[in-house]
Amino acid sequence: MRAAYMFGAGDVRVVDAPDPSIQLPTDALVRVTAACVCGSDLHPYRKMKPLPDGRPMGHEFVGVVEAVGDDVASLRPGHHVIAPFVWSDGTCDFCQEGLQTSCRHGGGWDAATGGGQGELVRVPFADATLVHVPGGIDESLTPSMLTLSDVYGTGYHAAYTARVGKGQTVAVVGDGAVGLMAVLSAAQLGAERIILMGRHAVRTDLGVAFGATEVVAERGEEGIERVKELTGGDGVHAVLEAVGYLDAYEQALGIVRPGGVISRVGVPQYSDGPIGRGQFTRNITITGGIAPVRAYIDELLPWVLDGTVDPGRVFDAEVALEDIADGYRRMDSREALKVLVRP
Amino acid sequence: MRAAYMFGAGDVRVVDAPDPSIQLPTDALVRVTAACVCGSDLHPYRKMKPLPDGRPMGHEFVGVVEAVGDDVASLRPGHHVIAPFVWSDGTCDFCQEGLQTSCRHGGGWDAATGGGQGELVRVPFADATLVHVPGGIDESLTPSMLTLSDVYGTGYHAAYTARVGKGQTVAVVGDGAVGLMAVLSAAQLGAERIILMGRHAVRTDLGVAFGATEVVAERGEEGIERVKELTGGDGVHAVLEAVGYLDAYEQALGIVRPGGVISRVGVPQYSDGPIGRGQFTRNITITGGIAPVRAYIDELLPWVLDGTVDPGRVFDAEVALEDIADGYRRMDSREALKVLVRP
């Protein structure tokens, strides 16, 4: 099959890779119909050391079941499915608690399964991992379905773990796809005011369409001052931090209200940070983490199906799999917000 | 009046201080019947720079109302009251949310009010700040009532904000008075297993009496390994960190289960700490902070009154106010766990 591999920083190529196949009776084989490039793929794209054999890329995809192992009960060939960005057994205590990212037997999409940016993927624990969309995925809904694979569930994780609720004032740090999905999720959960902190008008405009009530383009101390002004000096009940750099976390600390919550869904690119008396005396809670998106798909899918939400609007570019290197380039240069990939 | 003042590290003296008096119509004047030395008083006791005029000490006390301002509605002279360790207006949004430590018009016990380790205290916003104990405080219950002023509510804050619940495994880091109160609180909230990490057998024995099911005397990496062994390698659902040093926080990070919570109620003696990818990929929540004990007194008082709990057992020494310097010395040397002071 054809699949995107990364061989080093800035070096993504589509290569001939071995076709994955059913290996365990709980596996399914899925033909990818749409995938995408993730903001987190840009970290290796910027700093990966050269790897002669490369590694398969992609962890977000929707597709059609091509074959199933003997123990797969709920899926059959032809079923349209959404794959979350990790696979999980669905039965361990962590899965039962909705923390599939810590599944005792789970893992990520890699050389052993095939990456999402390829034609075929072997899906372990298919019954638990995949979400079947009855009636199939309508072409017009493909982008939105694809967001359920990662960015929508990740944004929702931020809002959910921050316990965003009715009447609250929420700030979202970051106007990337996850930040915009955090805006949408905060709106769904009843936030009264949503302040989106971002500098790219095209993106923040989309954020307004998703429910942001105010946009703050300033960053750092200036951004903190602006949010304080907007909130009578208090700051916000919840900050959804969708960037991952230390200055974004520090910005979050600067704008959160006493008793408030910072939920981080941007992968931290730092080890240590402020966590001392300044946070303690204000009773700030720091939560979030890598999102167990599988836990949220069942809840969010109906909203997508009935058109209440249209998260697929985060995709502003599309490339054929053979042209995926260009997709990486466009996301890296911020020319594109999020790139959909068609194998 | 006589009152304890600190003039520098290791220098606590009882001096003649001006009698506080009613200054605002919402004030009450309280004659202190019992106070105590707090673990947090030991921080200045160890490192305070010399201050020629000294400053009044003490923020935990129970007493009898001596006089009230014209606007005080719920209290009258002779009422027995519990004072939380900060005063608060009871009406602002933070107070209404149960975060009285962030009250918009609140403050701590200081030169303007008199400290708790003195004969008299002026209590601002007396209706909101003080909790009246109908029928008076029975002498046998004085120590337990006094814990409601700080350590019991602080331990409860740890367990409450960590969302300790039925069936959980909880670890408490620290065998000081707050740690032991965290044990008691975790037991009240239904924890199935409570692992107390502490090295002082007299204290950990009391912890067992309060509900600890296991004691781990080891610290650091060794302590982490021991807790991991006790929990099948997983760690615990919640860590209640009642120390405040960086190594206690790091210990908490080492023993918390994926998806778990660290609640800190020991005042952090550090600014920065690990808060990066290691916490993120395991979805660790960090919560707690300075405890709004006023929010918990109404809930905890009935348990004390009916004898369900006996938190007053944390007091293992008593001194007259004139001898309070000796009380500080005994707590500082760990000779005493918690010292009750009688003005």
Side-chain angles (χ1 to χ4, degrees):
Chain A
M1 67 165 180
R2 300 291 285 169
Y5 274 58
M6 190 177 287
F7 295 85
D11 186 8
V12 177
R13 290 176 243 157
V14 179
V15 299
D16 287 316
D19 275 7
S21 60
I22 302 288
Q23 289 178 21
L24 292 168
T26 48
D27 286 349
L29 195 64
V30 171
R31 182 162 296 274
V32 177
T33 53
C36 44
V37 180
C38 184
S40 68
D41 293 334
L42 298 179
H43 293 307
Y45 187 76
R46 287 167 187 160
K47 63 187 183 196
M48 182 176 154
K49 284 180 188 149
L51 191 67
D53 294 333
R55 63 176 175 89
M57 296 298 295
H59 52 258
E60 299 153 281
F61 60 99
V62 298
V64 178
V65 175
E66 185 134 317
V68 295
D70 289 344
D71 291 352
V72 174
S74 64
L75 299 166
R76 58 171 189 273
H79 276 175
H80 288 231
V81 291
I82 303 166
F85 71 81
V86 296
W87 45 271
S88 53
D89 68 15
T91 54
C92 76
D93 47 354
F94 288 115
C95 284
Q96 293 293 311
E97 292 165 22
L99 195 68
Q100 287 87 343
T101 44
S102 292
C103 172
R104 293 189 186 275
H105 309 101
W109 309 108
D110 59 11
T113 60
Q117 294 163 8
E119 291 178 314
L120 284 167
V121 180
R122 176 176 74 85
V123 178
F125 302 113
D127 277 323
T129 301
L130 296 171
V131 177
H132 172 212
V133 182
I137 296 179
D138 185 82
E139 177 52 32
S140 68
L141 287 181
T142 293
S144 286
M145 294 294 176
L146 199 47
T147 64
L148 291 171
S149 187
D150 184 345
V151 290
Y152 189 12
T154 295
Y156 194 79
H157 187 56
Y160 180 83
T161 57
R163 290 186 262 175
V164 168
K166 287 199 196 314
Q168 286 192 348
T169 299
V170 175
V172 174
V173 179
D175 58 9
V178 171
L180 299 182
M181 294 292 92
V183 168
L184 178 65
S185 301
Q188 275 181 269
L189 291 172
E192 187 175 304
R193 294 175 65 189
I194 302 172
I195 302 170
L196 173 58
M197 303 189 79
R199 296 183 301 166
H200 303 82
V202 175
R203 299 179 181 196
T204 56
D205 285 352
L206 186 52
V208 170
F210 283 142
T213 55
E214 285 127 304
V215 171
V216 169
E218 296 87 347
R219 316 169 90 174
E221 283 307 317
E222 217 182 336
I224 291 169
E225 281 314 304
R226 188 81 192 96
V227 173
K228 287 283 188 75
E229 277 168 30
L230 289 171
T231 54
D234 285 340
V236 300
H237 296 95
V239 185
L240 314 183
E241 196 280 90
V243 177
Y245 291 111
L246 186 59
D247 53 4
Y249 171 62
E250 289 171 338
Q251 193 164 303
L253 287 172
I255 61 176
V256 67
R257 184 177 181 273
V261 183
I262 295 170
S263 183
R264 300 180 301 169
V265 288
V267 184
Q269 304 300 308
Y270 52 89
S271 298
D272 284 33
I275 184 72
R277 205 173 300 191
Q279 291 69 60
F280 183 86
T281 55
R282 298 190 298 141
N283 273 275
I284 306 304
T285 294
I286 296 152
T287 189
I290 186 170
V293 297
R294 179 64 186 85
Y296 303 122
I297 298 178
D298 297 332
E299 189 175 342
L300 300 177
L301 181 57
W303 295 65
V304 171
L305 285 171
D306 73 9
T308 307
V309 295
D310 187 9
R313 294 177 68 185
V314 293
F315 289 100
D316 59 349
E318 185 174 322
V319 295
L321 175 58
E322 294 298 329
D323 300 323
I324 195 169
D326 193 50
Y328 272 85
R329 188 194 54 74
R330 285 154 75 181
M331 274 187 63
D332 181 48
S333 65
R334 292 184 164 270
E335 202 178 301
L337 169 55
K338 191 149 176 87
V339 175
L340 192 143
V341 180
R342 298 279 186 179
Chain B
M1 68 165 181
R2 300 291 284 168
Y5 273 58
M6 191 177 287
F7 294 85
D11 187 6
V12 177
R13 290 176 243 158
V14 179
V15 299
D16 288 316
D19 277 6
S21 60
I22 301 288
Q23 289 178 20
L24 292 169
T26 48
D27 286 350
L29 196 65
V30 171
R31 182 161 296 275
V32 176
T33 53
C36 43
V37 181
C38 184
S40 69
D41 292 334
L42 298 179
H43 293 306
Y45 187 76
R46 286 167 187 159
K47 64 186 181 194
M48 181 176 155
K49 286 180 186 147
L51 191 66
D53 294 333
R55 63 176 176 90
M57 296 298 295
H59 52 257
E60 299 153 280
F61 60 99
V62 298
V64 178
V65 175
E66 187 135 315
V68 294
D70 289 343
D71 291 352
V72 174
S74 64
L75 299 165
R76 58 171 190 271
H79 276 175
H80 288 232
V81 291
I82 303 166
F85 71 79
V86 295
W87 45 270
S88 53
D89 68 14
T91 55
C92 76
D93 48 352
F94 289 116
C95 284
Q96 293 294 312
E97 291 165 22
L99 195 68
Q100 288 87 343
T101 44
S102 292
C103 172
R104 293 189 186 273
H105 309 101
W109 310 109
D110 59 11
T113 59
Q117 295 164 7
E119 290 176 318
L120 284 167
V121 179
R122 176 176 73 86
V123 178
F125 302 113
D127 278 323
T129 301
L130 296 170
V131 177
H132 173 213
V133 182
I137 296 178
D138 186 81
E139 176 52 31
S140 68
L141 287 182
T142 294
S144 285
M145 294 294 176
L146 199 47
T147 65
L148 291 171
S149 187
D150 185 344
V151 290
Y152 188 11
T154 294
Y156 195 79
H157 187 56
Y160 180 82
T161 56
R163 291 186 261 175
V164 169
K166 288 201 196 312
Q168 286 192 347
T169 299
V170 175
V172 174
V173 179
D175 59 9
V178 171
L180 299 181
M181 294 292 93
V183 168
L184 178 66
S185 301
Q188 275 181 268
L189 290 173
E192 187 174 303
R193 295 175 65 190
I194 302 172
I195 301 170
L196 174 57
M197 303 190 79
R199 296 183 301 166
H200 303 83
V202 174
R203 300 179 180 195
T204 56
D205 285 352
L206 185 53
V208 170
F210 283 143
T213 55
E214 285 128 302
V215 172
V216 169
E218 295 86 348
R219 315 169 92 174
E221 283 307 317
E222 216 181 338
I224 290 169
E225 280 315 303
R226 188 81 192 95
V227 173
K228 286 285 189 74
E229 277 169 32
L230 289 171
T231 54
D234 284 340
V236 300
H237 296 94
V239 185
L240 314 182
E241 196 279 271
V243 177
Y245 291 112
L246 186 59
D247 53 4
Y249 171 63
E250 288 171 338
Q251 193 164 302
L253 287 173
I255 62 176
V256 67
R257 183 177 181 274
V261 183
I262 295 170
S263 183
R264 301 180 303 168
V265 289
V267 184
Q269 304 299 306
Y270 51 90
S271 298
D272 284 32
I275 184 72
R277 205 172 302 193
Q279 291 68 60
F280 183 87
T281 55
R282 297 190 299 140
N283 273 275
I284 306 304
T285 294
I286 296 153
T287 189
I290 186 170
V293 297
R294 180 62 186 84
Y296 302 122
I297 297 178
D298 297 332
E299 190 174 341
L300 300 176
L301 182 57
W303 296 66
V304 170
L305 285 171
D306 72 10
T308 308
V309 295
D310 188 7
R313 294 177 68 187
V314 292
F315 289 101
D316 60 349
E318 185 174 323
V319 295
L321 175 59
E322 295 297 328
D323 300 323
I324 195 169
D326 192 50
Y328 273 85
R329 187 193 55 74
R330 285 154 77 181
M331 273 187 63
D332 181 49
S333 65
R334 292 185 164 268
E335 201 178 301
L337 169 55
K338 190 150 178 83
V339 175
L340 191 143
V341 180
R342 298 279 187 179

